[in-house]
Amino acid sequence: YDPGAARLFSSFYNNGKGAKVTIGSWGRNYQSRYSQECQDVDAALHIHEDVLYVASSGNGGDSGSTSWRTVKNPADCKNTLSVGASQSYGSAIKSDDLGPSYMASFSARGPTADGRIAPDVVAPGYMINSAISDPTSSTNCAFAKWAGTSMAAPVVAGAAAQIRQYFAEGWYPGGFKGSGLGFEASGSLVKAVLMNGGQLLKGVQRVPNGPVTTKTQFYDNNQNMGVINLMKSLPLFRYNQINAMVVNSDEITRGATHRYDLDVRNCPQDFNQLSATLVWYDPAPASNCQHCLVNNLDLSMKTPLGGMKHPNGLTHPDRKNNAERIRFDAAGAGKYQVIVNASNMATSSQRYSLVATGCFSFENQAVRKVTRSDFFLDSLWSGGLKSSGSMFGIVAKQDINVTSFEFHSTMKADDGFMFLDIYAINGTFIGNERSREKWSKVASNVMIAGSGRGEATRIPDGAMPKLLVKNGESKGIYITMKFREELRYTAVDQAMGEVFSENTDLQILVGSGNAYEGEGFGEVYPRRMFNGRVIYEKIPHGGNLLVKEDSSVGTLQPQA
């Protein structure tokens, strides 16, 4: 039964409250033209841009006199994600099957009727443990080893659901939960992430136990972008060594160009691959079209020496596909620029998603620009030791608002982002070093690129609320860094709670270093002095803030 695209989408979408990833492990035979069915599906996805439609490519790769042009519908549509089948691991595969580095020969292949590459990606679909009906079971459920792209498509759909969860829970950009602000990923972004991480397969083997019939390469009509691999797709703290930059459903107008700068570092050879993928949900064209792109966007990348890279293995722009990838080994450090150009569009604007992965840093809009209009008091900047947390006290000698802090760390932007939590407690911190419940968290997961040795790294203005400390009052401050020990400190002779530095407005008291366990309230190491600066506003009796320009923050010279 074919319900049609409109009825299908209304059944699961539920006005945006329902499913956002759907699978079609079924298909109509190869279409020799861009069909009315594709027109309906592409139109529905162009409207429902938060949905990803995962479509099995079909099992006709072994049929007839040729394996080409066997991809089924709707896997041949522009905006679906077409999935082919690779082999897998396990005892169910035959003795001479070559395993997960090879495609299964039954997997259907492109190109589509209008010349687009198909399938989009590949996933294990050979001898996959699959659910079946079993009347002899009390639950009517059982499992069996099955083969087909109908098994591969759910593998991809499950990975797509994990990617949506990754972005929703704020795993981007730091690679751990809560490292950034969560957001709802568009279908085009999820599709781009899956395609960007695809890995090369070696060939097509006739299964079971048959010969290798074809060698494969990227952007062919066997595997296209390759077998999905989430470990190569997004940062995962402690488990991989890639950074990512994502653009989620941004809008570009006709004739415009969007540019994204990546600062590629000198990285180990195993981690110097630079990859960028552009995907957009193109409007539906007329059925029977020969050239079916309505809005053509072009992806390119400018290298530090001025050379230009083009997508999908081409030496020129791609005029057929609405999914484009550039991948190469970035042999040297330098500035690379990812370029999206709205070169030929029938409509006035088009939304697109973009993902880039590699060993790079980039300008992150979540890191606010720092202003320098405030008073300050330093502790010291000479520390050669480091910890994950610094706790200290402050005493106000007149009414002040603490607005921010600066700290010393040898980490630079090239080393990745740091993520800080900041806590405060009224009165003394001494005796409460491990009493998490007595502290108020005033800033969470503050993402900062370090300025490096000898420089002040500032917590961005607005990352924490102003902390009012009235004349004569004391307050404990605790700054802790998640997953890293990069806060510099100095071991001092004074006891905890003694005045270490002061001016006419403020005193900074000797504190401790703290291990991160227990949300940062771990082991306490007394008489360690935070290396940094307290930034504050003065509140005179008249109530108007006094502000002066701080011009000395730019470069701090550590003491010998």
Side-chain angles (χ1 to χ4, degrees):
Y1 172 66
D2 184 352
R7 187 171 181 181
L8 174 65
F9 273 73
S10 65
S11 71
F12 68 76
Y13 192 70
N14 191 23
N15 295 318
K17 301 175 183 178
K20 301 300 175 64
V21 178
T22 185
I23 309 171
S25 284
W26 58 276
R28 307 174 187 90
N29 288 334
Y30 178 81
Q31 306 287 294
S32 59
R33 58 188 174 84
Y34 182 85
S35 63
Q36 178 66 53
E37 290 82 7
C38 267
Q39 188 181 45
D40 293 343
V41 170
D42 284 340
L45 286 167
H46 184 68
I47 295 170
H48 302 88
E49 61 182 9
D50 49 351
V51 172
L52 179 70
Y53 190 122
V54 182
S56 59
S57 67
N59 302 326
D62 279 334
S63 61
S65 59
T66 177
S67 58
W68 307 113
R69 296 187 182 274
T70 52
V71 62
K72 288 193 171 185
N73 174 269
D76 62 341
C77 301
K78 291 187 297 181
N79 296 335
T80 58
L81 180 66
S82 174
V83 180
S86 63
Q87 297 183 41
S88 58
Y89 298 94
S91 59
I93 65 173
K94 306 303 179 183
S95 59
D96 291 329
D97 291 339
L98 297 175
S101 294
Y102 287 82
M103 289 195 65
S105 56
F106 58 76
S107 183
R109 290 157 222 173
T112 65
D114 60 319
R116 288 174 289 110
I117 309 169
D120 293 314
V121 293
V122 173
Y126 177 62
M127 295 296 114
I128 302 298
N129 206 26
S130 306
I132 61 170
S133 175
D134 182 4
T136 66
S137 168
S138 59
T139 60
N140 200 34
C141 295
F143 295 94
K145 299 293 192 298
W146 282 56
T149 58
S150 290
M151 281 69 241
V155 173
V156 173
Q162 288 183 292
I163 292 168
R164 283 185 55 83
Q165 182 180 0
Y166 180 97
F167 289 122
E169 293 182 348
W171 290 71
Y172 172 79
F176 60 91
K177 187 176 180 179
S179 64
L181 296 176
F183 63 89
E184 182 171 353
S186 64
S188 59
L189 177 58
V190 177
K191 182 176 177 179
V193 169
L194 287 163
M195 298 180 81
N196 191 65
Q199 301 297 300
L200 183 66
L201 294 172
K202 296 178 179 179
V204 179
Q205 183 191 16
R206 192 177 302 282
V207 290
N209 294 332
V212 174
T213 59
T214 308
K215 290 186 177 180
T216 55
Q217 59 186 5
F218 281 138
Y219 319 116
D220 65 12
N221 285 289
N222 295 295
Q223 66 163 353
N224 194 359
M225 306 246 180
V227 64
I228 65 166
N229 186 329
L230 292 186
M231 290 296 290
K232 302 288 187 180
S233 299
L234 289 168
L236 196 60
F237 188 75
R238 299 186 188 275
Y239 290 93
N240 61 20
Q241 298 187 46
I242 60 173
N243 286 341
M245 179 202 73
V246 303
V247 177
N248 183 38
S249 194
D250 198 8
E251 185 175 36
I252 191 169
T253 56
R254 184 191 295 127
T257 299
H258 291 181
R259 304 174 188 273
Y260 303 90
D261 293 328
L262 306 178
D263 188 3
V264 173
R265 302 172 291 200
N266 283 316
C267 299
Q269 186 173 359
D270 292 344
F271 304 104
N272 65 1
Q273 191 176 80
L274 184 59
S275 186
T277 300
L278 169 72
V279 171
W280 68 100
Y281 279 0
D282 199 49
S287 56
N288 299 315
C289 58
Q290 297 299 310
H291 303 285
C292 297
L293 273 187
V294 175
N295 292 330
N296 181 48
L297 306 184
D298 288 327
L299 175 68
S300 59
M301 192 180 300
K302 186 176 181 180
T303 68
L305 298 179
M308 296 298 293
K309 301 284 187 180
H310 294 284
N312 298 349
L314 302 173
T315 58
H316 54 79
D318 187 326
R319 305 297 191 198
K320 292 184 178 181
N321 296 282
N322 60 319
E324 302 182 359
R325 185 178 76 183
I326 296 172
R327 177 181 290 177
F328 60 97
D329 289 336
K335 302 286 186 181
Y336 291 76
Q337 188 173 74
V338 181
I339 303 168
V340 178
N341 181 34
S343 60
N344 187 3
M345 287 176 37
T347 63
S348 61
S349 65
Q350 171 67 53
R351 290 193 175 276
Y352 71 89
S353 292
L354 175 71
V355 59
T357 53
C359 186
F360 58 74
S361 59
F362 64 96
E363 180 74 15
N364 191 307
Q365 295 178 356
V367 181
R368 301 187 184 100
K369 299 296 183 183
V370 173
T371 59
R372 302 289 187 187
S373 54
D374 33 46
F375 293 88
F376 65 92
L377 175 62
D378 288 351
S379 56
L380 78 174
W381 297 90
S382 60
L385 304 174
K386 56 187 180 181
S387 69
S388 60
S390 287
M391 193 174 289
F392 57 95
I394 57 175
V395 178
K397 299 167 74 174
Q398 73 151 66
D399 292 354
I400 63 171
N401 280 325
V402 177
T403 59
S404 187
F405 301 93
E406 291 178 349
F407 61 93
H408 185 204
S409 173
T410 57
M411 286 188 65
K412 298 181 179 180
D414 288 353
D415 300 319
F417 290 110
M418 297 174 279
F419 296 88
L420 303 183
D421 289 342
I422 304 173
Y423 296 84
I425 188 172
N426 292 325
T428 181
F429 65 94
I430 297 174
N432 297 310
E433 294 92 341
R434 303 196 68 173
S435 301
R436 162 69 182 84
E437 70 281 358
K438 295 183 179 180
W439 292 74
S440 298
K441 182 184 283 190
V442 297
S444 179
N445 290 320
V446 180
M447 182 172 61
I448 304 176
S451 300
R453 184 183 297 275
E455 302 286 337
T457 296
R458 179 156 171 154
I459 294 170
D461 292 350
M464 52 176 275
K466 296 178 181 181
L467 301 179
L468 173 63
V469 190
K470 292 185 176 181
N471 182 19
E473 292 182 347
S474 62
K475 192 176 289 288
I477 304 295
Y478 180 38
I479 302 172
T480 181
M481 182 179 294
K482 290 186 172 183
F483 311 121
R484 293 180 184 266
E485 295 183 349
E486 293 293 345
L487 289 172
R488 293 285 159 162
Y489 71 89
T490 301
V492 296
D493 293 331
Q494 294 101 312
M496 287 173 58
E498 288 190 9
V499 176
F500 185 85
S501 63
E502 65 180 314
N503 58 17
T504 57
D505 308 315
L506 180 68
Q507 295 175 333
I508 298 179
L509 311 182
V510 174
S512 62
N514 297 66
Y516 185 74
E517 299 91 46
E519 280 195 87
F521 289 81
E523 190 68 28
V524 178
Y525 303 95
R527 299 193 302 181
R528 291 183 175 181
M529 193 64 240
F530 166 67
N531 278 206
R533 169 175 290 175
V534 179
I535 312 293
Y536 63 94
E537 303 168 335
K538 292 198 285 188
I539 308 175
H541 293 299
N544 295 318
L545 294 178
L546 296 178
V547 178
K548 74 173 183 178
E549 186 71 18
D550 168 13
S551 59
S552 66
V553 176
T555 302
L556 296 167
Q557 299 299 328
Q559 302 171 13

